[in-house]
Every structure is written in C-alpha cells, then in structure tokens.
Amino acid sequence: MFEEKEILPRLKEIFAGDYSGHDYFHTMRVYKTALAIAQSENCDKNVVALAALLHDVDDYKLFKTENYANARAILKDLGINDQITQQVIAAIDSVSFSKNGSKVPATIEGKIVQDADRLDAIGAMGIGRCFAFSGSFGRIMYDPENDQTPTAINHFYEKLLLLKDRLNTQKARQIAARRDAFMRQFLEEFYAEWNGER
Ligand code: ADP
Ligand code: NI
C-alpha cells in the first residue's frame, strides 16, 4: 500500500501545463473510476490504484521518457517492490487507445484502468476534453462544408462514439451507457442549435 500524499504532489508537478486533456485532474478521475470498477472485480486493488495514478506519466505524446522512467522513479520512491512494479508497468503498458488500438490488456488490472481511462473520454467529461483538445491543437469545432476537416465534432465519430463497445468490464459498460446516451443527445442538440432550429 502507499500514501496518497506521497504521490499526488508528484503527479501535479508532472502534468502542470498540459492543455491536451491529460492534466492532473484527468488522472484523479481515472483513479476514482478505476477504484469504483475494482470493487466489482476480483483484482489487486493496490496495482489498480498505482496503475491508474501512473497511467499517463510516460505518455509518449507528452513525455519523451523511455521504459516508463517516470512511473518507475515514483514507484521506487514509494518503496514498491519489484513484483508489484512489474505488474503496474504491465498494466500501464496495455492501457493507451492510440498506442494499442483495440488490443485487450492481458490482466484484469490493465483492463480496469483501460476502462476507467476510456470512460473519461466519453460523457460530459469526454465532450469537455474533446473541445479542450481541439482548441489546444488550433482546430475548429465543426465544419459542415467538409467532413474531412479535423474538428472536435469529427472526433466523436472517429473515437468517442465507439468507446462504449470497447470496454472490458460489466461495471464500466453500465457507466458508459449513460455517458454515451448523453453524448448522442449533445450532438443532436449541437446540430439543432447550429442550424437555428432550437
Ligand atoms: P490516450 O490517453 O488513450 O492516448 P488520447 O491522447 O488520444 O488518449 O486522448 C486524450 C483526450 O483527448 C481524450 O479525451 C480524447 O478524446 C481527446 N482527443 C484525442 N484526439 C483528439 C482529436 N483528434 N480531437 C479531439 N479530441 C481528441
Ligand atoms: Ni489517460
């Protein structure tokens, strides 16, 4: 086990200045959601907690670390043993959507953290992050004249609306049903307002 206060300040420091949807609070939401899912699964909750907290600290889009150097350094400072470290790193390695596509994590801990990460990309959180990400990349919200323009709305069809069918656990599927319905309702409202119908 570990003390939250020994790890949370490190995470705050690592994610300071990120505007692409991988800020400290994303990690905190994934942590909470992963622990909630873990309640319904037969798993090592300590590994789930650590993997959730560390799942983005070596994201190749943000950091140029090799071999999970940030995660390993933090685990070492927390006094986590080699066996748990290996389990945590294996879980983190299997999580990323963009890196692993539809590959399913081998362990239940990886499955849970991947589900929690994916849940944060849908629903109200997903909508907010999608628009924040788009803005940070200088993209517009929507282009009704060209469906090939990279926009926030396009990302719903590329990824966000597909995520509910790519979850590993029953509990995550339950949470996703409401979030997915909310996104679909948002899109309907968005087009109606865009067209001056509401
Ligand atoms: P992961 O952490 O699984 O690699 P990403 O880095 O692809 O995920 O995504 C991080 C957040 O940014 C998610 O909420 C995702 O939906 C959003 N995002 C990623 N790519 C785009 C994009 N092209 N347009 C809008 N939002 C995006
Ligand atoms: Ni993440």
Side-chain angles (χ1 to χ4, degrees), residues 38-52:
Q39 293 298 327
S40 317
E41 299 291 332
N42 184 8
C43 63
D44 184 328
K45 295 188 174 60
N46 191 37
V47 171
V48 169
L50 287 168

Side-chain angles (χ1 to χ4, degrees), residues 21-22 26-27 30 55-56 59 95 117 129:
H22 289 101
H26 160 67
T27 285
V30 170
H55 84 277
D56 271 340
D59 188 302
V95 167
D117 196 31
R129 290 176 76 210

Side-chain angles (χ1 to χ4, degrees), residues 97-114:
F97 180 94
S98 31
K99 191 164 142 232
N100 291 305
S102 50
K103 214 171 91 190
V104 177
T107 64
I108 183 63
E109 291 80 12
K111 287 178 178 157
I112 291 170
V113 177
Q114 184 179 69

Side-chain angles (χ1 to χ4, degrees), residues 20 22 56 59 61 96-98 117 121 129-130 133-134 139 155 158-160:
S20 71
H22 289 101
D56 271 340
D59 188 302
K61 294 188 289 311
S96 168
F97 180 94
S98 31
D117 196 31
R129 290 176 76 210
C130 175
F133 180 103
S134 295
R139 295 179 181 169
H155 188 61
E158 276 163 20
K159 174 173 163 187
L160 308 188

